[in-house]
Amino acid sequence: MSLLRDLKAKVEVDTAIRSTADKVLVLRFGKSDSSECLPIDDVLMKTQEQLRNMADIYTVDVDGVPIYTQYFEITYTPATVFFFNGQHIKIDWGTPDHTKFIGSFQSKQDFIDVVEVVYRGAMKGKLSVKSPLDPTSLPKYDLLYKDL
């Protein structure tokens, strides 16, 4: 089992986004020492080898890259963001926020299914895809808006 690659600085995240070609780029935002990130990291590590031809998977520490944490409005961790050829791919999870997945995937197969849907949609030029996961099995959270 190989360890997940960690991006520690904005320039590393920028390089990963720009240089990943014809593959899904998966960025898991969170804290490496957080118990909330352990379940998703386990799923990501176990699927990394299976998805090596379709996806590159990285972890990003929310404290190390605050500009992206703010840009993607990451208030809950872990949060997973998907890119393809430098484009942010939005996924309709059945929630108000299509920019990221909050929480952990229930199984390896759930994560593989999401990456496959993103890959196939992106190869057809789509920047937004529908989640293959059952909305009732997704983590629930409330969006908080400041100063409205």
Side-chain angles (χ1 to χ4, degrees):
M1 182 185 313
S2 61
L3 295 175
L4 295 170
R5 295 171 284 180
D6 192 29
L7 303 176
K8 297 182 186 336
K10 179 188 179 300
V11 69
E12 292 176 353
V13 176
D14 291 342
T15 301
I17 292 170
R18 280 195 308 265
S19 66
T20 303
D22 296 328
K23 282 185 172 183
V24 176
L25 174 64
V26 180
L27 300 178
R28 191 277 291 149
F29 287 85
K31 296 184 179 190
S32 57
D33 60 351
S34 169
S35 62
E36 290 125 9
C37 293
L38 292 177
I40 192 168
D41 288 352
D42 186 50
V43 168
L44 297 177
M45 280 192 288
K46 288 179 179 176
T47 56
Q48 186 171 245
E49 185 61 27
Q50 286 176 282
L51 295 171
R52 73 179 177 279
N53 295 327
M54 196 181 300
D56 286 340
I57 303 169
Y58 295 93
T59 61
V60 181
D61 191 312
V62 291
D63 295 329
V65 190
I67 191 160
Y68 279 110
T69 303
Q70 183 178 7
Y71 180 76
F72 290 115
E73 297 176 348
I74 296 172
T75 54
Y76 295 113
T77 60
T80 309
V81 181
F82 298 85
F83 289 87
F84 189 84
N85 288 343
Q87 294 288 321
H88 180 214
I89 304 296
K90 294 180 174 67
I91 303 172
D92 182 358
W93 303 104
T95 65
D97 188 1
H98 297 187
T99 60
K100 59 191 168 288
F101 179 80
I102 303 291
S104 183
F105 294 95
Q106 301 231 341
S107 68
K108 289 183 349 181
Q109 192 58 50
D110 283 353
F111 178 66
I112 291 169
D113 291 346
V114 169
V115 171
E116 285 178 348
V117 165
V118 170
Y119 182 79
R120 288 188 179 120
M123 289 299 279
K124 294 177 184 175
K126 295 181 179 181
L127 297 178
S128 181
V129 296
K130 176 100 173 93
S131 168
L133 305 180
D134 179 14
T136 60
S137 69
L138 297 176
K140 302 290 184 242
Y141 59 92
D142 293 322
L143 290 178
L144 303 173
Y145 295 100
K146 288 183 170 179
D147 304 324
L148 286 182

